[in-house]
Amino acid sequence: MSASTAAEHRQILLRAADEFLLATVLLFLAVTVVRWLRDPASALYIADLRVALVVIGAISGTILTGLILSPPGRRSGGHTNPAVTVGLWLMDAFPGRRVLPYILAQLAGSVAGTALARLTWGRAVSLPSVAHAAIRPSPAWRPDSVFLAETTGMLVLTLLIGLFVARPGLVRLMPYTIGAAVALVIAVFGPLSGGSVNPARQFGPALLSGQSTDLAIYLLAPILGAALGAAVHHLLVRRIQPYGEPA
């Protein structure tokens, strides 16, 4: 192995380690927020699920923006979401050799962050109303409706990210825009489909809580949405400007 190849592999591992750290922090804080807002014994308990999800969405969006702007986020790109990683790769904005290490790191961080929250907050995290912050759809929603909602949500989010890919001059606004978009998804879709649009957001909580009924949907639908969003992005870029011309 040449020195340049070894250096490249080391760089990939370092950036994947950043993604592991970001996903760990994201899930620890996500479980923590749900623990305090949905535990009936908590002083911050919000009984109305819809109101709680609006608050959770606002806090989650703020956390995500902060993680993207943090030093690890600036180094790795602050994906924290396997679907975002896949979408950026398919939009030719991220090298394919980093996709698998990033996804594995994000999923591992999801488990680590959820487990850390369980160790920190104890049995309160296991209460039915908290359930390790596992995403759950409305009982009235069928699996196909949940799949469609998760796919569509990630498709729209991917197109939003694609806007910044096509217009680098706007990239400074991306952390705030993505954070606001995720907050909106949680507030609007949370009471219906669960509003995950992030396989890593569900993987650790579902694994540790044992709530794996719709896990396949929450893992696969965002990836499909990212792929469809990337395809639409390429079509839009071709229509707006020929390839090879500056944006």
Side-chain angles (χ1 to χ4, degrees):
M1 181 184 296
S2 66
S4 61
T5 301
E8 181 182 12
H9 287 172
R10 184 165 56 250
Q11 187 72 4
I12 291 173
L13 291 176
L14 287 173
R15 297 295 75 83
D18 285 330
E19 283 293 305
F20 171 80
L21 176 61
L22 292 170
T24 299
V25 173
L26 176 64
L27 266 295
F28 173 79
L29 293 178
V31 178
T32 297
V33 169
V34 175
R35 176 258 182 273
W36 284 108
L37 295 183
R38 294 297 294 159
D39 176 4
S42 167
L44 302 176
Y45 176 62
I46 300 177
D48 189 313
L49 179 59
R50 289 182 178 273
V51 175
L53 285 169
V54 170
V55 177
I56 290 170
I59 296 174
S60 298
T62 302
I63 290 170
L64 183 58
T65 296
L67 290 176
I68 296 172
L69 292 171
S70 70
R74 292 183 181 276
R75 289 193 299 263
S76 72
H79 297 188
T80 70
N81 183 341
V84 169
T85 299
V86 170
L88 286 169
W89 168 50
L90 293 176
M91 288 188 287
D92 303 321
F94 187 73
R97 60 187 175 277
R98 295 193 179 191
V99 171
L100 184 58
Y102 264 48
I103 291 176
L104 292 176
Q106 291 154 358
L107 295 178
S110 174
V111 176
T114 306
L116 182 59
R118 176 65 173 84
L119 289 173
T120 302
W121 304 118
R123 282 184 285 182
V125 170
S126 302
L127 292 172
S129 60
V130 179
H132 293 78
I135 300 294
R136 287 171 288 189
S138 165
W141 272 51
R142 294 169 41 181
D144 55 345
S145 298
V146 176
F147 191 94
L148 180 60
E150 288 291 302
T151 300
T152 303
M154 192 61 218
L155 188 157
V156 173
L157 186 60
T158 302
L159 289 175
L160 183 60
I161 295 171
L163 172 67
F164 297 103
V165 170
R167 296 289 183 268
L170 301 175
V171 74
R172 67 186 183 282
L173 301 175
M174 183 174 68
Y176 310 99
T177 306
I178 299 303
V182 169
L184 185 62
V185 167
I186 294 172
V188 174
F189 288 100
L192 304 173
S193 70
S196 172
V197 298
N198 180 351
R201 171 61 184 82
Q202 179 70 339
F203 184 68
L207 200 65
L208 272 69
S209 69
Q211 295 189 25
S212 58
T213 302
D214 296 311
L215 180 57
I217 293 175
Y218 291 115
L219 294 180
L220 299 177
I223 300 295
L224 175 60
L228 293 174
V232 174
H233 166 80
H234 283 299
L235 290 175
L236 292 175
V237 169
R238 288 193 184 99
R239 291 191 63 180
I240 294 172
Q241 63 179 73
Y243 279 113
E245 292 186 10

